[in-house]
Amino acid sequence: MSGRTPVEGADVCVVGAGPAGGIVADRLAADHEVVVLEAGPRFDPAERTDRQERAIRPAYDRPDVWEMGGPRDAHSASGERFYPLNHARVKGIGGSTLHWQGMVMRLHEDDFNSGSARGVGPDWPVDYADLRPYYAEAERELGVSGADDNPYAPPREEPHPMPAFPPSYSDSLFAEACEELEIDMHSVPNARNSEPYDGRPECVGYGTCQPVCPSGAKYDATTHIESAAARGAMVIDRAPVQRLEHDADRVTAAVYATPDGERHRQEADAVVVACGGVETPRLLLLSESTDYPDGLANSSGLVGRLFMDHLFAGAGGVLEEPTRQNHVGFYTSGCDQFYDDADAEVAPFKLEFFNYAGPSPVETALSADEWGDDLLEGLRDSYGNHVAMGALVEQLPREDSYVGLDPDRTDDHGNPVPDVHWSVGDRALRTIERANEIQTAVLEELGAEIEWVAGPDDTGPAYHHMGTTRMSDDPGAGVVDADCRTHDLENCWVASSSVFPTGGAMNPTLTIAALALRVADHVDGALR
Amino acid sequence: MELSRRDAVAALAAIGAGTGAAVHAVDSDDDTAAPPVETLVAAAEVVYPSELSGVEPFVEALAERRAAGDDAHARGVRETVRELDRHAESWYDAPFVELSAADRDALLREVGADTADEDPDGTTAERVRYYVVNELLLALYASPTGGELVGIENPQGHPGGVDSYRQGPGR
Ligand SMILES: Cc1cc2nc3c(=O)[nH]c(=O)nc-3n(C[C@H](O)[C@H](O)[C@H](O)COP(=O)(O)OP(=O)(O)OC[C@H]3O[C@@H](n4cnc5c(N)ncnc54)[C@H](O)[C@@H]3O)c2cc1C
Ligand code: SF4
């Protein structure tokens, strides 16, 4: 047996080993025969320091750190804005959390009711109260360090599993300016250990969290995959699923390729698609048939449509005093004060106070044109007094923003590549300006000389892929129902931010984890 | 400022050890698998700031871990050092270690390592930048002492804990 052959009599086949697939597999593995099929490799944990070196050295691009790129990961971007897809995901056991930043906020109550509360976009078929216990469980699963000091956060029933990381020195500088402007600062929940948790160590301050945490203090989904395997799940890496075979009502098998060039069929009673917000709709579109000529589970015509990301808004500058940046790679204070002012004209947004503004000396040194004393002098001049703020802004679902298949380009297995056709509407662009106004006001109050502003023209995506298999009670208006089961196929669920009807402005992964736990409950119920 | 043994250990933790174990593996087309310590020290004397002391034991520890094994990285360092020596011989009639500091500096610039972008598979200039100049700069500026020279005692790549980010400049 090669270790990559199908498992007979499997109850559940999970496609994708990121946090969504990992959590579903881990939940179900004790009581059911579970198989996980993952397109990418199982990375050796011993290589993480070498990956960290790649993160620092200029010879390597970000996608090189986790070996993204090449024919396997070919993609197109036909929209008005380029979408750098291979900067925005990782393929492998652990998925994109290998690279992620690890900020884990709950969505706000109004985010689930955008249509009725803000007058734009659809309401979700579930609301905050439905997800609230799952959020608490998701915080325990990921290991979240957080505190209760945020008056704008939605109600919670219990403390975070670990105490929050205390504010940074630069947060204390911001605090004076914010107090003057009556802007409230508060801690932020981090999926990284402020103390040892779940067999993983506390954060030791490597400062390269994004794209790699050598210590394991930052959560990544290898944790859940390992746990699932320990409970008996079969995890097959380098096994990209090519197609979901089906009849009119059920998925019958996942057809996957293996490195030896073979193809295999994994049959299972239930299938959970957890390939992230781009590959999930792509796999459904690739699985078209006479029953589903426009793509599997696509009676609504919405598979791949309504693609959303969060938009970045930011500003930064320099002070005439030291600001102590780049000791750690995560931020410790935010501001959600303006979030629930959102309406039809202005989107929700959250503000972030960076601890990693300006250059990191070691990176500057490696691309400088001088060395010796001149280099040291240059480093002293360039490092030490930067400050910066960021923001995430919601974009609405739009007809002209979608993930499709590019008929003219194929991947290493001959399948059409994903085309991320991304466009952004005026409400989001206006909101970026609004965030910039606040950011520049804070920086001016601080006495900073402003050096850059990332506004509507220089915004970019936060790498949160949402909306492409929307959740709705109405089979004509969504791909999955409120339980995240596809309307068309009775044994097929989707665990991903692709089910989000709207995005809010909070990083999505805690909500992905909460929904994944809920999917596991539904699958478990269906199998009993 | 004095580089310490702890710096060497910290720098190595930060940048990994390649996959090179500190054993002098015998590989067939590279019978001098001993790490080119002297040449790296001679290069460090040029690319490190003059106020540093303790460079030699620091670079020795680095070379033992990163230039002595049979992995691609260690071989890359040794091959590139040999190439540097060939240039030194043909332009200055002596191996790199025997040149004056000014000539070592000039030679590194003449091969183009000052303006080149590092690339492990690139031209001579790009490889000298990757395997010699940046190898040394990475080890220094990801270490606490190197960071401290610039004002950051917990630089990126160094697991310096979670207190320093909270401390003000007075500390
Ligand atoms: C740089 C960066 C920073 C981020 N920061 C944050 C943050 O601070 N907070 C936050 O909430 N989110 C953040 N994210 C987003 C976060 O990483 C994702 O939301 C999360 O990983 C999504 O989980 P997932 O399991 O749905 O998908 P993924 O983690 O993307 O995993 C999907 C897996 O499915 C596999 N797969 C795909 N297609 C197939 C197929 N056909 N067959 C088999 N396997 C397949 C992939 O290889 C991959 O391993 C960040 C992302 C990036 C890139
Ligand atoms: S700072 Fe980031 S990379 Fe370093 S240990 Fe903490 S979480 Fe990991």
Side-chain angles (χ1 to χ4, degrees), chain A residues 52-53 57 166 204 327 373, chain B residues 14-15 50 66 130 161 164-165:
Chain A
Q52 174 173 254
E53 182 176 334
R57 291 194 87 138
V204 291
H327 289 243
D373 291 340
Chain B
I15 56 186
S50 50
R66 301 260 300 181
Y130 186 91
S164 72
Y165 82 89

Side-chain angles (χ1 to χ4, degrees), chain A residues 47 49-50 52-53 55-60 62 165-171 194 202-208 210 214 321-328 330 332 355 360-376 379-380 383-384, chain B residues 12-19 46-51 66 73 104-105 108-109 113-120 129-131 133-135 137-138 141-142 146 148-162 164-169 171:
Chain A
E47 288 173 357
T49 44
D50 295 331
Q52 174 173 254
E53 182 176 334
I56 297 173
R57 291 194 87 138
Y60 304 95
R62 275 300 149 106
F165 286 91
S168 64
Y169 174 69
S170 53
D171 288 339
S194 62
E202 67 190 314
C203 170
V204 291
Y206 272 110
T208 55
Q210 187 182 309
E321 58 179 307
T323 55
R324 311 268 304 155
Q325 298 296 284
N326 281 309
H327 289 243
V328 290
F330 57 93
T332 39
N355 294 330
S360 154
V362 55
E363 289 185 20
T364 311
L366 301 188
S367 33
D369 285 352
E370 61 266 333
W371 48 60
D373 291 340
D374 293 344
L375 171 62
L376 178 57
L379 295 177
R380 283 176 175 157
Y383 171 77
Chain B
L12 294 168
I15 56 186
T19 47
V46 173
V47 302
Y48 283 179
S50 50
E51 64 190 81
R66 301 260 300 181
H73 185 86
R104 276 175 266 152
D105 184 87
L108 286 170
R109 289 177 202 277
D114 51 345
T115 51
D117 293 334
E118 63 161 25
D119 182 349
R129 181 74 198 209
Y130 186 91
Y131 284 116
V133 175
N134 277 2
E135 180 78 2
L137 292 178
L138 174 65
Y141 287 110
E148 190 117 23
L149 285 173
V150 187
I152 176 169
E153 69 281 13
N154 181 16
Q156 217 182 20
H158 172 61
V162 288
S164 72
Y165 82 89
R166 298 161 55 192
Q167 288 157 0
R171 282 188 278 144

